[in-house]
Amino acid sequence: MSSWIKRTALAAVATVALMGAASAEVVYNRANSGEPETLDTHKTSTVQESHILRDMLEGLLTYNAKGEAIAGQASKWEIADDGKTYRFTLRDGIKWSNGDPVTAEDFVYSYRRIMDPATGAKYANILFPILNAEKINKGQAKVEELGVKAVDLKTLEIKLEAPTPYFLELLTHQTSLPVHRASVEKFGKDFVKPGNMVTNGAYKLVEFVPNSHIKLVKNENYYDAKNVKIDTVMFYPTSDFAAMVRRYEAGELDTTDDVPADQMKSLKERFKDQVKLGPYLGTWYFVVNSSKAPFNDVRVRQALSMLIDREFIAEQIWGQTMQPGYSFVPPGLSNYGEPAYLDYKDMSPIDREEKAKALLKDAGFGPGKPLKVEIRYNTTDNNRNSAIAIAEQWKQAGIEVSFINTDGKTHFAHLRDGGDFDVARYGWIADYSDPNVFLFLLKSDNKGFNYGKYINADYDKLIDQAAKELDLQKRAAIMKQAETILAKDIPWIPIMYYGKSNLISPKIQGFVQNSRGVYPTRFLSKTQ
């Protein structure tokens, strides 16, 4: 063989090798701190589900890497002068993953489906700003009366009950993600299974192995597919944060969804700038079952709240990744000022304990008759350590404490299905930056999230009044009055304000820590 032929052959081999390297599949191994209960956008309610769903589906608006609302399936929108009518124009040529065109009718169908009482959507009330939505969801009107209509194939019009300052951001929420009508009608509840599920986002579902993984692959029919750098996303449900760190250190995970807070000092020493910390608009609570004795006594609820040393929990248990929480609504939300803090926020721990013991005594509890409390929580290292620490603080006042813990899927299903409990761990993250996203949770008719069955007619009246108030300052003042009622009644005990903590591999590019805690895979890339 001549030298020229050899050189040509070697060049050909090199070219093939380079082409192979260039086409190598890019796989992103992503920890998710819980197993999804469902991938039906109209039955979802957890943050863990939202991470997966937002990779597969896209609403009229979506989030960018910074957690900011940007154009999604809609390329533009107009708002009428009265603030109650929105008209959206869909992008040209957008398709579902099976090649079907995405039309305005898909959104009409999807919004009607989530409002239909037959769907059983626990989170339907987040969309009650839409005209007639609440009436439809409560069986008082037909789904056809919903204020959502297709003007033509590319134009969607949404009418609201009243001007809603956070409405556009609301459209990024998982409940506003569309479903593929033909698939729902063909497969029923099984439309979310691999092989059946049709998506309109950057990825599509190919595998769902419970308690193992969820595998998504790039949707070539997505309008921005050419800019999607990661081919495959592997979501691994991991509630054991210590095990999550070990898998990360072994290179099995590229990012974690959280970290064991009691290891924060060690993690910073070992991983340095791979530890990403940031604010997170949310509150970590204990929900109190105020529908049953003795927890229907406000003195008992107040005492339980007063006895919690929030500074210790945030600093010693969570390694300062969380902040002590003394209000139902966290600070920093738009359309609001300072939240309504608990009136013992600045009281010394000793004074709080004395007052709490006095309240318990007035409620009939003491050395001869101790208050008994069962704490129910979803199992993670951080939750377990927090529950144990709080129990120890309560025991100092003679309270007898027991525990029941389950995986997250079981825990949240128990709460949603009206299961019995005394005190239950819960957390709420802002779906949009407005106090309403927290305050609506405790309305007496909110069957989906008012787990402790709290009822206060004055509170309900204020929330309804705020929904009709057009002046943002007056609206904020009304909501502050409502939150002040919660600070006195303590139906849920606020304990900490969330912070976000992740481990991010240097291989992952484009990650931005943000207060929404959203990290769409489509904006990330990975070096091999």
Side-chain angles (χ1 to χ4, degrees), residues 51-63:
H51 292 321
I52 302 166
L53 291 168
R54 286 198 186 102
D55 267 2
M56 294 193 295
L57 296 159
E58 187 172 277
L60 296 166
L61 276 73
T62 189
Y63 280 120

Side-chain angles (χ1 to χ4, degrees), residues 123 281-283 285 426-431 437-438 440-441 449 498:
Y123 213 162
L281 290 178
T283 307
Y285 305 96
Y426 198 64
W428 192 255
I429 307 299
D431 299 307
V437 75
F438 290 89
F440 92 105
L441 296 168
F449 293 101
Y498 274 99

